[in-house]
Amino acid sequence: ARNVSLEREFPAMITSPPYPNSANFYKMFAPENECIEYLRSKNIIDNYQIEEPSGISVSSSDDKGIFNPNNLISESVKTFLEQLANFEGNKKAKYAMKQYYIPFFAKYFFGIERIIKNISKMASKDFDGYFVVVNNTSRKFIVPVAENIMDVFSSLDFNAEIQDEFTRELSHFGGINPVVKGRKARHMEYTIKIWRS
């Protein structure tokens, strides 16, 4: 979606943004990967880069200059990254925030914004789209994926609105990190309508 180019405009789309978690990517998106492999086997698509999917960015100190938070479109994301930068915790937690979390999320949101800017160029004048989004949490802060999508589309002269009737709370017990194992994690799922009027 970051580099696709279509020969004609498209009027509708139903999708979900990539989840910002590399550990679970292949497990969570197995159906999509199977669909993509099928399309490749039939020579329907040939430019899909599974080696560089959005949402599973590995961050490093080298990313800080390239993915400068000030270059992001979304004010919601800028606020989120400021909250992470001002996180009150022990020395180890602050170091992890600076070296890993902030570069990771800045890179993740750059990918989302690049996708939206690219596909918006091919959306028809009567475009009607839906994004199903789950907002996760990181260090008690809500990761504003839904707000990011709405901010970017609005900046590109689209209408964006959360469909309240489809909003629901999700929860699960932590299983990867032994510190949070057995602790309930809560998330919110939103359906966002994007359209041109």
Side-chain angles (χ1 to χ4, degrees):
R2 286 178 298 188
N3 55 24
V4 68
S5 179
L6 302 178
E7 294 180 0
R8 60 184 178 85
E9 294 180 338
F10 64 99
M13 176 177 64
I14 300 174
T15 188
S16 182
Y19 190 80
N21 187 336
S22 60
N24 294 330
F25 181 83
Y26 287 100
K27 179 179 178 182
M28 293 182 66
F29 296 95
E32 288 89 337
N33 290 332
E34 288 181 14
C35 177
I36 289 164
E37 289 304 322
Y38 173 80
L39 295 174
R40 289 170 102 174
S41 71
K42 300 295 183 182
N43 295 318
I44 296 172
I45 60 170
D46 59 8
N47 64 345
Y48 183 79
Q49 298 175 336
I50 191 64
E51 298 79 14
E52 193 195 353
S54 291
I56 69 163
S57 49
V58 177
S59 62
S60 72
S61 58
D62 296 335
D63 294 336
K64 291 177 186 174
I66 301 170
F67 302 102
N68 188 322
N70 293 327
N71 295 331
L72 288 161
I73 294 172
S74 174
E75 292 300 324
S76 300
V77 171
K78 290 179 184 178
T79 299
F80 167 67
L81 294 174
E82 287 175 10
Q83 290 175 324
L84 295 184
N86 297 321
F87 174 72
E88 293 295 331
N90 59 41
K91 191 174 181 180
K92 184 177 180 181
K94 287 184 176 180
Y95 179 82
M97 194 67 73
K98 182 179 179 181
Q99 294 298 317
Y100 175 73
Y101 286 99
I102 293 173
F104 173 86
F105 281 113
K107 193 172 182 180
Y108 167 79
F109 282 113
F110 266 100
I112 296 292
E113 293 191 357
R114 184 176 160 192
I115 286 169
I116 292 173
K117 285 188 281 188
N118 187 45
I119 64 175
S120 68
K121 294 185 297 185
M122 295 168 280
S124 65
K125 292 181 179 178
D126 58 346
F127 176 79
D128 197 9
Y130 292 87
F131 279 72
V132 180
V133 181
V134 176
N135 276 15
N136 199 356
T137 56
S138 177
R139 299 284 187 174
K140 81 179 181 180
F141 301 115
I142 297 172
V143 182
V145 181
E147 292 81 357
N148 172 240
I149 290 169
M150 296 176 69
D151 287 348
V152 178
F153 270 110
S154 295
S155 75
L156 299 170
D157 295 323
F158 286 76
N159 301 296
E161 180 179 88
I162 290 175
Q163 305 294 287
D164 290 333
E165 66 269 31
F166 299 119
T167 297
R168 63 180 182 141
E169 185 176 290
L170 307 173
S171 63
H172 65 85
F173 288 98
I176 298 174
N177 187 340
V179 176
V180 300
K181 194 167 186 178
R183 187 183 302 169
K184 202 173 230 186
R186 305 173 78 177
H187 314 287
M188 294 300 294
E189 181 180 272
Y190 303 98
T191 298
I192 303 172
K193 181 179 180 180
I194 309 291
W195 77 99
R196 279 178 157 158
S197 56

